Amino acid sequence: MNKVLGLDLGKKTCGIAYSDALGFVHGVETYRFKAFDYEDAAIHVDKLLKEKGITEIALGLPLHLSGELSEMAQNVLHFKDLLLALNPNYTIELVDERYSSVIANNTISALNMNHEKRKQVVDTYAACEILDTYIRKKGK
């Protein structure tokens, strides 16, 4: 199985996870950047992709419960374009992330993390959930 990077993009953060050659998902980090500075975030992600030798990306796409694109979805599509401008050989798949943050928060709650630690890791856990969803769908 190819290694894949999973991303949960926010207005000021980007949760990052990757899968290894066996398909196991590992949280990497929550990268923080100035609000809406997606160029900075794209450069950081591009550097990680190069370091890990990964060209396949599962990028969370925030949709409304109705399935329509949210306002944040436009930022995600812009971010996708920025990554492709840095390397047109990236394969970027958009993944419905409607429930990723809920699942991430439930996982964190089960681990009894305090509020401050929760804020630091929730985006990384959401990236793990996005990546896991992508891998499971790809495996079908």
Side-chain angles (χ1 to χ4, degrees):
M1 171 173 240
N2 292 338
K3 295 181 197 175
V4 183
L5 199 75
L7 302 174
D8 178 42
L9 185 68
K11 294 175 184 175
K12 298 187 285 185
T13 62
C14 184
I16 304 171
Y18 80 98
S19 66
D20 58 28
L22 297 174
F24 291 104
V25 173
H26 308 274
V28 176
E29 68 175 321
T30 296
Y31 182 69
R32 298 182 191 306
F33 51 90
K34 289 181 184 176
F36 303 104
D37 188 357
Y38 296 118
E39 291 83 6
D40 176 53
I43 290 168
H44 180 76
V45 169
D46 181 59
K47 180 181 169 192
L48 277 175
L49 288 161
K50 288 176 181 165
E51 286 173 4
K52 294 192 176 295
I54 297 174
T55 59
E56 188 173 354
I57 303 163
L59 177 59
L61 182 66
L63 302 172
H64 291 295
L65 290 179
S66 66
E68 294 189 25
L69 293 177
S70 69
E71 288 179 30
M72 186 62 199
Q74 298 306 318
N75 294 325
V76 168
L77 295 173
H78 173 65
F79 184 72
K80 177 183 175 184
D81 291 341
L82 290 170
L83 286 173
L84 289 171
L86 292 169
N87 185 342
N89 295 318
Y90 289 147
T91 300
I92 304 175
E93 295 293 330
L94 299 173
V95 178
D96 180 352
E97 69 164 43
R98 279 181 276 192
Y99 301 105
S100 63
S101 293
V102 172
I103 294 168
N105 276 306
N106 289 343
T107 301
I108 293 167
S109 291
L111 296 172
N112 293 319
M113 287 186 192
N114 66 36
H115 179 71
E116 200 53 43
K117 181 68 174 169
R118 180 181 297 224
K119 282 177 29 182
Q120 293 174 11
V121 300
V122 68
D123 296 317
T124 303
Y125 275 76
C128 289
E129 182 59 32
I130 289 165
L131 183 53
D132 188 59
T133 298
Y134 174 72
I135 291 170
R136 281 187 280 117
K137 284 186 179 179
K138 186 177 174 183
K140 288 184 178 180

